[in-house]
Amino acid sequence: RMFVFRRIQELYQRGGFREIARGIRDFIIFKTNAESVFLKLTQSATLNIGDVSIEFYLEQKEDFARASGHGERDVLLDFIDELSANDTVWDIGANIGTYSIAAELLDATAEAFEPATGAQERLNRNASLNWVSIDIHDYALADENGKTILSHEDRSGTRQLTDSGAGDV
């Protein structure tokens, strides 16, 4: 019980009530099986950041978090405020396309770099849902040329490049 109160206090100090709500949402999504119920009830969600609304298909539990800003609402708001029409954005590790789609909706050009095939497919679906076209480059960017493995993890945003193990080459 004391852990719960300490955790709530930490979340409040980090970001107020919004951060507490995010923490509760993440607990429900990632620590329970509630996502299966949500996935059956709804197929998409809308992320509203400033004047931009991005639609996401909900296929995996991580999609719920990304569709609510994934703890990056302030960064996304700054990104949108700084972006100008005709800018070019390199979205490195684009995942399901939050930044790429926001850029395209604001008349910038997005170059999405996403080596994971599952994330590429979800990015394509989300781009179509938002009526934008995004150039998706199916490789990772690094400081040297070569081939390596993108590890398999439970959450796509936590994958990393490695020399061995299972994953996407």
Side-chain angles (χ1 to χ4, degrees):
R1 212 184 267 196
M2 194 60 166
F3 170 76
V4 172
F5 292 118
R6 267 186 294 179
R7 184 64 180 143
I8 290 172
Q9 182 180 25
E10 289 171 10
L11 291 170
Y12 181 77
Q13 289 172 344
R14 190 181 318 159
F17 290 113
R18 179 182 283 169
E19 188 67 10
I20 291 172
R22 186 204 56 77
I24 292 169
R25 184 209 64 228
D26 284 357
F27 175 80
I28 291 169
I29 291 171
F30 295 114
K31 302 295 184 186
T32 70
N33 290 323
E35 80 278 354
S36 61
V37 174
F38 291 122
L39 285 171
K40 290 176 183 171
L41 292 175
T42 184
Q43 295 180 345
S44 65
T46 304
L47 170 62
N48 295 303
I49 301 290
D51 294 333
V52 177
S53 295
I54 304 171
E55 294 288 324
F56 291 101
Y57 280 107
L58 302 177
E59 297 178 26
Q60 299 178 5
K61 61 184 172 181
E62 187 175 351
D63 296 343
F64 288 102
R66 296 202 179 275
S68 63
H70 200 262
E72 299 177 356
R73 293 185 72 82
D74 292 337
V75 174
L76 282 162
L77 190 56
D78 287 345
F79 173 76
I80 288 167
D81 286 344
E82 293 295 323
L83 197 63
S84 298
N86 300 318
D87 282 352
T88 298
V89 172
W90 282 29
D91 189 356
I92 301 169
N95 204 308
I96 65 170
T98 307
Y99 291 89
S100 293
I101 293 169
E104 290 286 341
L105 289 171
L106 293 168
D107 296 324
T109 300
E111 298 291 335
F113 295 85
E114 179 52 59
T117 54
Q120 291 168 19
E121 291 167 4
R122 290 169 36 229
L123 193 161
N124 266 319
R125 285 191 70 197
N126 289 329
S128 294
L129 184 62
N130 288 277
W131 299 93
V132 296
S133 177
I134 298 172
D135 290 328
I136 301 172
H137 307 278
D138 62 352
Y139 50 87
L141 296 181
D143 60 350
E144 59 186 61
N145 291 331
K147 291 186 180 184
T148 191
I149 298 169
L150 182 63
S151 68
H152 281 296
E153 305 292 340
D154 290 339
R155 296 178 56 201
S156 63
T158 62
R159 298 176 71 179
Q160 56 189 313
L161 297 176
T162 180
D163 293 330
S164 61
D168 296 320
V169 177

